[in-house]
DNA sequence: ACCTGAACACCGTTCAAGT
DNA sequence: ACCTGAACACCGTTCAAGT
């Protein structure tokens, strides 16, 4: 079937997928491949364009500059990570969702994602919030919301208020990030990272009960 | 006084500091300035050489490639951070050194260093341990040794074994790193970061006692 | 709206050559 | 041992021009 074009030109090259509506998507896909294979520093707009069969100026229609491409990659990364955590947590949720199982699954999923996508997690963490880029900011917030919901469910029966939940969520996220960094940089093994995160979850949950109230808001 | 040259050429330009023995040091110094002002991505060997008044090929005598410069910067960063932590911890040590004060000071110093040198901490964290670069690896190990000594002192009276100390040290370091990343990326304020680290130290110390023994080695 | 292609100013890296 | 300077291959970015 003939695809309707949005630009008024009824060109006849649609069937050959001649990069009309999907160049942006193709660039992102190829960029993610480069990211996995060679890291963020090797990412070149010109090479991406070359491999996609378009001129080196073409990407500019979709990404004003290199930063915009990296931001788009980071944004997708946040959603993918949130999805991975949701998926990893599902079994524990079906089992009732209370206790440390939920948070261990979430933290473990974070570490696995970081291990599997070291360069991507790198640009996600490095992504500054200055100069809004609302879409990116929102994606990061979405991940944090996912984590907040999990912590709320896991500690639901213990009477924590919203501020305490928020603090524990940030702490758990930060620890997952820090342990992932240790693993990705090769300073500890993956298995050791998982053990550390298991310890962290256990300590957080136990400690949160023990010191609650003495924590400043 | 005439400085003795090591290359056999008794050139007369020593007094004008014509980059004979100190080009490497000057490049590092200028690189750190660029790092502070404009970030790691803006770091260019050619620009450094230009500003130092040497040809663009000159840096190669001291840094084989750009990676080597970044590694050298990261290496110095590890020592500077370890020094900063030592300095920040001294008052607490003079007060006896037990309890959470020591670890709070250490974690706070980490966060302050990261806040003051965001680009530098970035290349430190990103520095892979693969392809040894023994000097860099050793610098990272030195920081970890510093942290280990502090944790040992802080928890000395509680009968933890070496493996437990090592695990808590990694956890604390990872958390300090993760919280610093949250602050540097602008997702939380510095003050909130310090509060989070205070909470983390308290929870770690309390939790370490509570769950000890149930932790797998 | 999206893409082309020339132009510009910058890189990192290599390497023969100088001192 | 350390530095010069040409050479090479690659960038990001801009912008008039095409469809």
């Amino acid at each position: 079937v003939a695809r309707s074009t949005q630009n008024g030109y009824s060109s006849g090259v649609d069937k050959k997928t001649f990069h009309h509506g999907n160049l942006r998507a193709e660039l992102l896909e190829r960029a993610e491949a480069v990211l996995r294979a060679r890291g963020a520093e090797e990412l070149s707009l010109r090479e991406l364009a070359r491999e996609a069969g378009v001129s080196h100026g073409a990407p500019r229609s979709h990404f004003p500059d290199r930063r915009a491409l990296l931001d788009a990659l980071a944004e997708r990364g946040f959603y993918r990570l949130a999805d991975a955590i949701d998926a990893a947590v599902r079994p524990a949720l079906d089992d009732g969702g209370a206790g440390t199982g939920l948070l261990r699954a979430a933290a473990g999923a974070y570490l696995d994602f970081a291990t599997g996508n070291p360069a991507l997690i790198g640009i996600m963490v490095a992504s500054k919030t200055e100069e809004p880029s609302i879409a990116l900011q929102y994606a990061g917030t979405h991940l944090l919301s996912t984590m907040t919901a999990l912590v709320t469910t896991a500690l639901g029966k213990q009477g924590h208020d919203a501020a305490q939940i928020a603090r524990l969520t940030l702490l758990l996220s930060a620890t997952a990030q820090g342990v992932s960094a240790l693993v990705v940089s090769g300073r500890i093994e993956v298995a050791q990272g998982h053990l550390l995160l298991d310890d962290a979850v256990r300590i957080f949950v136990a400690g949160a009960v023990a010191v609650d109230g003495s924590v400043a808001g």
Side-chain angles (χ1 to χ4, degrees), chain A residues 154-168:
Chain A
L155 302 184
K157 309 289 187 185
Q158 303 185 6
H160 299 277
D161 62 28
Q164 291 166 334
I165 294 286
R167 225 159 30 231
L168 272 171

Side-chain angles (χ1 to χ4, degrees), chain A residues 10-31:
Chain A
S10 56
S11 59
V13 289
D14 279 2
K15 52 184 167 345
K16 292 192 66 181
T17 65
F18 236 79
H19 327 112
H20 280 109
N22 57 345
L23 177 57
R24 185 188 148 95
E26 181 173 353
L27 290 174
L28 281 173
E29 195 171 343
R30 288 182 186 276

Side-chain angles (χ1 to χ4, degrees), chain A residues 132-194:
Chain A
S133 176
I134 295 129
L136 176 55
Q137 200 168 343
Y138 189 84
T141 303
H142 175 257
L143 173 60
L144 203 60
S145 299
T146 302
M147 295 293 289
T148 304
L150 291 177
V151 173
T152 304
T153 302
L155 302 184
K157 309 289 187 185
Q158 303 185 6
H160 299 277
D161 62 28
Q164 291 166 334
I165 294 286
R167 225 159 30 231
L168 272 171
T169 303
L170 286 172
L171 219 43
L172 182 62
S173 304
T175 303
Q177 203 285 308
V179 169
S180 296
L182 285 175
V183 173
V184 167
S185 67
R187 263 170 269 275
I188 63 174
E189 299 290 324
V190 191
Q192 197 179 355
H194 279 290

Side-chain angles (χ1 to χ4, degrees), chain A residues 112-142:
Chain A
D112 287 337
F113 183 89
T115 307
N117 309 271
L120 180 56
I121 206 86
I123 67 176
M124 288 161 61
V125 171
S127 74
K128 297 278 194 303
T129 302
E130 55 185 44
E131 302 180 26
S133 176
I134 295 129
L136 176 55
Q137 200 168 343
Y138 189 84
T141 303
H142 175 257

